[in-house]
Amino acid sequence: MEAILDDLNPSQREAAQYIDGTLLILAGAGSGKTKTITSRLAYLIGEVGIDPRSTLTLTFTNKAALEMRNRALSMLEGNYTYPPQLLTFHKFGLLFLKFHIDKLGRKNNFVIIDSDDRKRLVKQIAKDLKIDTNTPFILSEISKCKNSCVEPQIAKESAQLEDYKKAALVYEKYQEEIFDNNLVDFDDLLMLTHKILSEHDDIRVATSQKYQYIMVDEYQDTNELQLRILELLASEHGNLCVVGDDDQSIYGWRGANIRNILEFDQQFQNTKVVKLQTNYRSTTPILEAANHLIEHNRNRLKKELVSYRGEGNSVKLLHCLDETHEARSIAREIKEFIQKGTHPDEIAVLYRINALSRSLEDGFNKEKLPFKLVGGMRFYERAEIKDIISYLRMVLNPNDDFSLLRIINKPKRGVGKVSLDKLTHEAYQSNLSIYEYLASTPYETLMHATSKKLSATLKAFVANIEKLSSSSQISPLAMMDEFEHTIGLKAFYAKTVDGEDKVKNIEEFYGYFRDAFEKFPQMSLEEFLNDISLQSDQDQLVHEQINIMSIHAAKGLEFEHVYVIGLEEEFFPLLGESTNIEEERRLGYVAITRAKTHLTLCYVDSRFYKGQRAMIKKSRFLGECGIIKNTSLKVTKSAQYKKGDLIQHKIFGMGRIEAVAKVGNEYKLKINFGGNKREILSSFVQPI
């Protein structure tokens, strides 16, 4: 164990050996944070003698959790009785709810629905309620409410503007639907966990005492709800270690609160802070560009990266006429790298705006370069795959109306909208799920409600689900052996547009399913479905292909060769009323620090975007990072608040912003505090 600690630099070693109390490891990009946190975990278990079951390490992706687990276990060399818990926040919530969701009057055989399921359900509810508000807005509001622990009734009472009133109505009905169908969404995994911990003191105490040493990776990405959960988990002992980098906080748009890391030492008493500033990834010129850029931010904990590798190639500036010229130039340069022996998966092209990927795809296709568009439609979100998953959910829980409505006509069974509405109505009138109604209603009665042919088809559907359910009791593999013969999805999709590709996707899923259960024969069907629901984009990365991705998707990754395109004003930084220029700059810092050896920053004179070609100016970030000199671009501070945001005032409480106006160096906010409207300067409020 001492040999492992000897492999750490002084700062890393100091962090790894700090045992009791709160600890903030402020880890710059490429500074060995994973090595430090896994060494600390191994030190606690292998040297101090902490029971592995008393530790809990939380992160944000399955990939990161698996890497950390493997590293920690390799350091322990088998000297442990049980493996330590390393989980994503959502996986922890899932496991916690399996034990305790009954406290909310729910059954523990719930099923997780993904973002596509949520969207489909919200669209249907809005349609039923005759609400025309756009779906993305409603989904965003529901998520905001859940991550602020705002129940539907409170959301309805506090909504002042018409759009928010409509969203609150949909939220209320949405919660009823997922409750009735025993479903949970990703936000529920955390919201319901917090609800149980905060309302049941015995469970909070027992859970906190169970996990005596808690560590959190990527702490800068946590939101308000995750902070509250951590406070409850650490409430009995205060042993909380978090590692993160405020300069890489880039998820404010999805609820991450940078104040969690900036104010960590204020939220938790007697916090020790250890800074990791030696970068083992990038050469000095790359880090100088990153350091120069991020120094322009005011709200940050001061640190400066120093390269362990030392000098290297200068940062390259690529200036092109337009996006076609840019894509062609990058593609040809990459082709030369590959011909000289560089592996394609060591190359990445990053952008701020997803729409910029189109010209890259065209350019790479023309040069016949293998590439992977990370963040495109994920395998499990394809219609044919979601149909299989819905069938498997029905096998697991036949009373899942949500899944039944998706597959009742796949393959075609002649169930029209009128018949389906009638069946749904009869089922609900009888206080039964649709499946229960179809299974329990005599054939003759069903025939009168629909037709002779349709009632026979529906009874056959019920028989098929029962058959598969019986097979699954023997084993999931036995069930899958009968699945295609029983359901016939391949034959159905073979006759549709792009049928050949869809059949290949179905076969790919069948193969993956069999492989998963052959490797883990003790795994249940429920565990399999929940695991694929928790997959992230980074879990889907394919090797031996050039990576084309957004900067957000590249977070946590590293490549020998990195190209950052679109470094023009309004593209990167992305400018607008709601822009947070400091978060844009942090995105630039993240993009630059993905590069190990070669970094190329690209800008063009014109782009075709949103239906027209426009001449554009190069990004202010090129001047701020020292790549170009004497830039005349003015650095402006953008509003951190926008219309619709929820804020907290120390006297007036919670309110919603209705208008934002610039006043000198500050912003004047018109805020609605439950019907009482006031104009308050932005420095006197905090975002929720």
Side-chain angles (χ1 to χ4, degrees), residues 501-688:
D501 288 341
K502 292 176 180 178
V503 169
K504 286 180 180 177
N505 288 335
I506 292 171
E507 290 172 342
E508 174 78 12
F509 182 88
Y510 290 164
Y512 172 68
F513 185 96
R514 290 191 179 93
D515 185 59
F517 282 96
E518 284 169 2
K519 286 181 178 176
F520 304 101
Q522 302 304 314
M523 180 170 58
S524 69
L525 180 59
E526 180 183 7
E527 288 172 327
F528 174 82
L529 290 173
N530 284 331
D531 279 346
I532 63 176
S533 294
L534 293 173
Q535 295 267 353
S536 73
D537 284 342
Q538 288 192 10
D539 297 320
Q540 307 296 320
L541 286 179
V542 176
H543 296 295
E544 297 304 321
Q545 294 182 329
I546 301 156
N547 297 283
I548 300 178
M549 64 179 83
S550 70
I551 299 166
H552 286 98
K555 173 78 163 44
L557 304 176
E558 58 181 40
F559 307 92
E560 285 293 335
H561 305 268
V562 170
Y563 295 81
V564 185
I565 69 167
L567 277 157
E568 303 105 24
E569 291 290 288
E570 297 190 36
F571 288 84
F572 194 17
L574 183 65
L575 300 178
E577 181 184 344
S578 60
T579 296
N580 180 337
I581 196 65
E582 295 213 348
E583 183 156 319
E584 291 294 306
R585 202 171 278 116
R586 291 194 292 270
L587 268 169
Y589 176 86
V590 167
I592 290 170
T593 54
R594 297 313 92 199
K596 295 161 73 173
T597 307
H598 296 95
L599 172 66
T600 303
L601 305 180
C602 315
Y603 74 97
V604 299
D605 292 329
S606 78
R607 283 195 189 277
F608 190 80
Y609 183 65
K610 293 185 177 178
Q612 61 183 7
R613 180 161 298 283
M615 300 300 292
I616 43 184
K617 296 180 180 179
K618 53 182 171 286
S619 171
R620 70 190 70 185
F621 291 168
L622 294 172
E624 292 179 3
C625 70
I627 301 304
I628 60 175
K629 304 297 182 183
N630 302 321
T631 177
S632 60
L633 289 168
K634 184 179 179 183
V635 178
T636 57
K637 184 171 168 58
S638 190
Q640 294 186 16
Y641 298 94
K642 61 182 183 299
K643 182 179 177 181
D645 281 355
L646 283 173
I647 58 86
Q648 183 75 27
H649 189 275
K650 63 182 180 181
I651 296 175
F652 303 121
M654 185 174 73
R656 193 179 291 276
I657 297 173
E658 294 189 351
V660 180
K662 187 80 188 300
V663 179
N665 293 324
E666 275 215 71
Y667 291 89
K668 182 168 67 175
L669 311 176
K670 184 178 181 181
I671 306 170
N672 190 326
F673 295 99
N676 187 11
K677 299 181 181 181
R678 298 178 182 273
E679 291 188 341
I680 306 285
L681 291 176
S682 57
S683 58
F684 287 85
V685 301
Q686 289 188 342
I688 295 179

Side-chain angles (χ1 to χ4, degrees), residues 22 65 76 175 184 438 515:
T22 51
L76 291 169
Q175 286 301 91
V184 299
L438 295 177
D515 185 59

Side-chain angles (χ1 to χ4, degrees), residues 118-286:
R118 290 177 66 239
K119 183 178 180 180
R120 191 159 56 91
L121 183 55
V122 163
K123 283 179 73 173
Q124 185 59 50
I125 292 171
K127 183 179 178 182
D128 293 343
L129 295 175
K130 295 181 172 56
I131 289 175
D132 57 2
T133 306
N134 71 78
T135 303
F137 171 76
I138 297 177
L139 287 167
S140 175
E141 282 304 301
I142 291 174
S143 188
K144 284 179 184 177
C145 286
K146 290 192 174 191
N147 282 285
S148 300
C149 298
V150 176
E151 300 280 354
Q153 189 59 37
I154 301 298
K156 284 171 61 179
E157 292 171 359
S158 62
Q160 301 295 323
L161 302 177
E162 191 61 30
D163 281 348
Y164 295 100
K165 290 179 180 179
K166 292 177 181 178
L169 290 173
V170 175
Y171 176 30
E172 181 178 49
K173 182 64 176 173
Y174 172 81
Q175 286 301 91
E176 291 174 4
E177 286 286 327
I178 62 175
F179 182 91
D180 291 343
N181 288 286
N182 203 26
L183 307 172
V184 299
D185 61 24
F186 281 5
D187 294 326
D188 285 330
L189 293 174
L190 299 184
M191 183 185 77
L192 299 181
T193 294
H194 175 265
K195 185 176 177 65
I196 293 168
L197 285 171
S198 60
E199 293 180 357
H200 296 270
D201 209 46
D202 56 331
I203 295 177
R204 175 193 63 77
V205 171
T207 306
S208 181
Q209 289 177 343
K210 178 180 180 181
Y211 300 115
Q212 289 285 324
Y213 293 89
I214 300 169
M215 290 189 280
V216 184
D217 189 24
E218 304 287 8
Y219 188 68
Q220 76 282 344
D221 295 338
T222 55
N223 61 24
E224 182 67 25
L225 181 53
Q226 287 159 336
L227 170 61
R228 293 190 195 181
I229 290 173
L230 291 171
E231 287 175 331
L232 293 167
L233 291 176
S235 58
E236 291 299 298
H237 48 72
N239 295 328
L240 175 62
C241 165
V242 303
V243 58
D245 183 2
D246 55 311
D247 291 332
Q248 295 187 73
S249 179
I250 59 173
Y251 294 112
W253 52 277
R254 74 179 187 195
N257 189 351
I258 192 173
R259 294 188 180 188
N260 286 359
I261 191 166
L262 293 179
E263 300 173 1
F264 183 79
D265 59 345
Q266 300 169 37
Q267 293 160 342
F268 296 92
Q269 293 183 349
N270 303 317
T271 293
K272 180 179 180 62
V273 180
V274 178
K275 295 183 180 181
L276 307 183
Q277 300 178 94
T278 301
N279 175 286
Y280 295 90
R281 175 190 300 155
S282 309
T283 57
T284 296
I286 293 171

